[in-house]
Amino acid sequence: MRVDVISIFPDYLAALDLSLVGKARAAGIIDLRVHDLRTWTSDRHRTVDDTPFGGGAGMVMRPDVWGRAIDAVTGRDTGTGHDAEVPVHLVVPTPSGATFTQRTAEALAGEEHLVVACGRYEGIDARVAEHYRAAGVRVSELSIGDYVLNGGEVAALVVVEAVARLLPGVVGNPESLVEESHGAAGLLEYPVYTKPPAWEGLEVPDVLLSGHHARIHRWRRDEALRRTVARRPDMVGALDPATLDAHDLAVLAEEGWHPHGGRLERSDGC
Ligand code: ADE
C-alpha cells in the first residue's frame, strides 16, 4: 500500500518510523511518504491559509495550495503518476467528519493508495473535497472522536497505524487481530494477565491457570460481555441476539439486558 501524508508539520509524522509501522515501511509492505504542504505554496511567505469568506474566527487553508499538493502526490499534475492505473482514496481528518472506526480501518486497508490531507486552523476550504469527489476520487472526511485537536496530524497517525496493522505481514501473529476489541464479535476484549500469578495480593483467576481450554474460552467470553455492558452499553445495544448462545444471554440477563424484538434492551428500559 502507498500512503502519502501532507502536512505543514511533517515532523509530527516521524512516529511512523517507529514500531510495527516503521518495520512495515522497512519491509516494503507500506510505502509511506510524508510531504510538507508548503512545498506547493507560491509566495515568498509560503502562505497556506487566509481569512474565511463570510467572516468569523480563525483561518482557512487555501484550496489552490492543497490542489497542487494533491495533484503532485497523485501524479495528476504530470499525468505520470501511478494513479493513472491505481485509484486513490483521499482521507481528510476533521472533527466534523464521520466517525473513524475499526470498520473504516478495514475498508481503508483494502485500498492501494491513500492520501491523507492534514488540515490546521479552521480546516481546509470545502471545495477541495468537492473537487476531488467530482473528479471521481473517493474522499473520506473522518473524525477520530468527539473532541477537537489542533490539526489533523495526530488523527493521521491514528488512521495510518490502525490501517497499517491490518495489512498482511505487519502484525507478527495475525491471530492477535482476531479476538481484539472492536473485532467482528462486537465486544470489547476480555482482561488479560501474565506472570507472576500473584502480585500485590492480587491473583490471576484460577481458570486461566487450569489448562482447560473450553472453560478458559467461556470465561473470556463472559468477561468480554460483562466489560462491554459496563463500559460500552451502546455496543451491547448493537448486538444481534441471534448471534449469541444461551450462556451469553444468561450472562447478559444477570447484567440486566434481555432480547426484545430482535435486539437487546436493558430491563429498566434505558
Ligand atoms: N482534527 C481536529 N480534531 C480532529 C478529530 N477529532 N478527528 C480528526 N481530525 C481532527
Side-chain angles (χ1 to χ4, degrees), residues 92-97 119 121 142-156:
V92 185
T94 165
S96 50
Y121 318 116
L142 298 174
S143 167
I144 61 161
D146 290 344
Y147 39 78
V148 180
L149 304 166
N150 287 332
E153 286 76 9
V154 170

